[in-house]
Amino acid sequence: MSTKSAVITLSLAATAAALTGCSVLDGDKIDYKSASRGTSLEVPPDLTQLSGSTRYNVPGGAVTANALLATQIRQGDSKNVANDQVADVQIHREGNVRWLSVPREPDVLWEPVRQFWMDNGFVLTMDQASIGIMETDWAENRAKLPQDFIRNTLGRVLDSLYSTGERDKFRTRLERRSDGGTDIYVTHRGMVEEYTNNAKDSTIWVPRAADPELETEFLRRLMVQLGLTEEQSRAVVQAEQASGVSGGSRASTFGGAAIVNVSGAPSLELQDDFDRAWRRVGTALDRTGFTVEDRDRSQGLYFVRYIAPNAEREKPGFFGRIFGQGTSAPPPVRYRLQVQSQGAVSHVQVQNEAGQLVPANEADGIIKLLYEDMR
């Protein structure tokens, strides 16, 4: 019996117990504290991409604790209002991208943000302050497990047999702004366990769509880590979601996206100026799982690693076959993604390490992958 079958059996038993009068306890919607590091679920982002979209393009803007403070004072409600020292955190939204802006240096914010993820039960597999990127290991949201009679009674004895069949990982990117402040982005990637055959005796892990609600919730929690109270952070996020415009901010959505041909190579055309295109490309790279090794905003360059979907895998040798080793993935290839803008239109092209445009068949997969997230 597979792990998933065992989980189903336990769930059926739990349901029966619940129907006999045992109540189901409601817990927090997010609880990764019991997540433990296990077998890596990492797959090349281009091998098994989802057909679904993570887009939720709605009007956006920026909501600040200062703006919320002014509104509450005008309405005569001054309790639980952010004070001056915590009123510097802003939440922004443009199209399908949300981020925090904080007028503090990245090196000042790095350790609090790092501690934030560890306090929420995650193990960091990437922790590179030099490029401003940290990433968690795959973890399970245990709050999704049923709080039934069997689990509550036997506790940890059977807890390891329960599984949601889902895993999550989060990437945090800190970017220094020209005014000395920092923009903080949080992006989600998900995997789901699926049966490989009708007999349901084996399973595999495949990608599932990114969850924008999870991204927003962790941004909200990060606001608390940076000084706001729970009440303040919830009010700021609710105000941003309800109005899209606050404190003089203008509603904002991203422009369109299209695949075009530039200089004989497939390119991504965005109806956005450089700042917005840069944010958009960076978030798409994070959500689709590219390994970003470095970036140079002044030249519009992202330095990434990528494995092509049609790359041949190396077959195991004689002893490898004896010991059951599978085919090994080819080494990733390094590319440069360049964002170039002219007014309100930007283009993204794929270059090799030397800065030359790669052949069309090579660039096509990367361009299409980014387009699926941004169109």
Side-chain angles (χ1 to χ4, degrees):
M1 178 183 294
S2 68
T3 302
K4 197 160 187 175
S5 298
V7 172
I8 291 175
T9 302
L10 285 171
S11 298
L12 291 173
T15 302
L19 292 175
T20 60
C22 299
S23 62
V24 178
L25 302 178
D26 293 326
D28 291 336
K29 294 181 180 179
I30 296 177
D31 177 18
Y32 290 94
K33 289 185 185 258
S34 57
S36 59
R37 190 170 183 175
T39 303
S40 174
L41 304 179
E42 190 68 65
V43 296
D46 47 311
L47 292 183
T48 50
Q49 280 302 306
L50 298 167
S51 58
S53 172
T54 62
R55 300 182 302 280
Y56 53 114
N57 291 327
V58 293
V63 174
T64 71
N66 276 325
L68 181 63
L69 171 62
T71 301
Q72 291 174 324
I73 290 176
R74 287 196 300 270
Q75 296 175 347
D77 179 13
S78 60
K79 68 178 180 178
N80 294 326
V81 173
N83 58 42
D84 289 341
Q85 71 178 30
V86 300
D88 62 349
V89 181
Q90 298 180 338
I91 184 167
H92 299 266
R93 179 175 59 185
E94 288 182 345
N96 64 351
V97 178
R98 278 184 172 93
W99 73 98
L100 301 182
S101 289
V102 188
R104 311 176 207 171
E105 295 283 343
D107 55 349
V108 174
L109 292 169
W110 186 262
E111 189 55 36
V113 174
R114 183 176 182 273
Q115 189 63 45
F116 166 78
W117 289 110
M118 293 190 291
D119 289 345
N120 277 275
F122 292 92
V123 173
L124 292 178
T125 58
M126 179 181 290
D127 184 4
Q128 298 186 25
S130 60
I131 60 174
I133 294 178
M134 62 181 75
E135 186 171 83
T136 72
D137 196 6
W138 293 103
E140 183 177 27
N141 185 2
R142 305 294 284 179
K144 290 187 176 182
L145 291 173
Q147 300 296 321
D148 51 62
F149 173 76
I150 294 177
R151 185 164 179 251
N152 288 329
T153 301
L154 299 180
R156 295 180 179 274
V157 176
L158 287 178
D159 206 44
S160 62
L161 296 179
Y162 281 79
S163 173
T164 62
E166 295 180 356
R167 297 294 185 271
D168 303 299
K169 74 158 46 186
F170 297 87
R171 180 178 295 178
T172 308
R173 179 162 42 93
L174 282 70
E175 289 203 2
R176 186 188 303 271
R177 298 202 311 268
S178 58
D179 61 4
T182 305
D183 289 336
I184 305 176
Y185 301 82
V186 172
T187 48
H188 165 257
R189 292 176 60 205
M191 300 283 279
V192 62
E193 191 178 16
E194 293 185 354
Y195 290 113
T196 59
N197 52 42
N198 293 332
K200 297 184 177 182
D201 55 5
S202 64
T203 60
I204 58 171
W205 291 92
V206 297
R208 76 177 196 276
D211 188 337
E213 291 186 5
L214 269 178
E215 294 174 349
T216 303
E217 174 60 17
F218 275 110
L219 283 174
R220 184 198 68 77
R221 293 186 177 202
L222 186 53
M223 294 173 76
V224 176
Q225 177 79 2
L226 298 179
L228 273 67
T229 66
E230 281 284 337
E231 293 80 7
Q232 292 161 358
S233 68
R234 292 183 189 279
V236 169
V237 171
Q238 288 171 2
E240 180 270 329
Q241 293 174 333
S243 67
V245 181
S246 180
S249 297
R250 180 172 56 86
S252 174
T253 57
F254 283 129
I259 297 177
V260 298
N261 190 290
V262 177
S263 302
S267 304
L268 190 62
E269 183 175 272
L270 305 175
Q271 301 301 317
D272 296 298
D273 61 23
F274 177 81
D275 287 342
R276 291 152 65 88
W278 178 261
R279 283 192 288 268
R280 204 171 173 187
V281 172
T283 301
L285 289 172
D286 290 339
R287 281 184 178 149
T288 49
F290 282 85
T291 299
V292 180
E293 295 186 318
D294 203 353
R295 59 184 182 271
D296 185 346
R297 183 187 173 94
S298 64
Q299 298 187 54
L301 290 173
Y302 283 99
F303 300 85
V304 303
R305 292 205 313 261
Y306 175 81
I307 300 177
N310 57 353
E312 294 185 3
R313 292 178 168 247
E314 183 179 346
K315 295 182 180 180
F318 175 75
F319 289 103
R321 291 193 296 271
I322 291 178
F323 291 102
Q325 294 179 358
T327 57
S328 59
V333 180
R334 287 180 170 84
Y335 293 100
R336 308 188 336 172
L337 295 182
Q338 184 167 41
V339 182
Q340 294 181 309
S341 303
Q342 289 185 339
V345 178
S346 301
H347 289 96
V348 183
Q349 291 191 301
V350 184
Q351 304 173 349
N352 59 23
E353 289 187 272
Q356 301 169 331
L357 290 176
V358 301
N361 62 334
E362 220 176 320
D364 190 59
I366 296 177
I367 292 297
K368 286 182 177 178
L369 191 57
L370 296 176
Y371 171 74
E372 285 301 314
D373 184 80
M374 291 192 260
R375 66 188 176 91

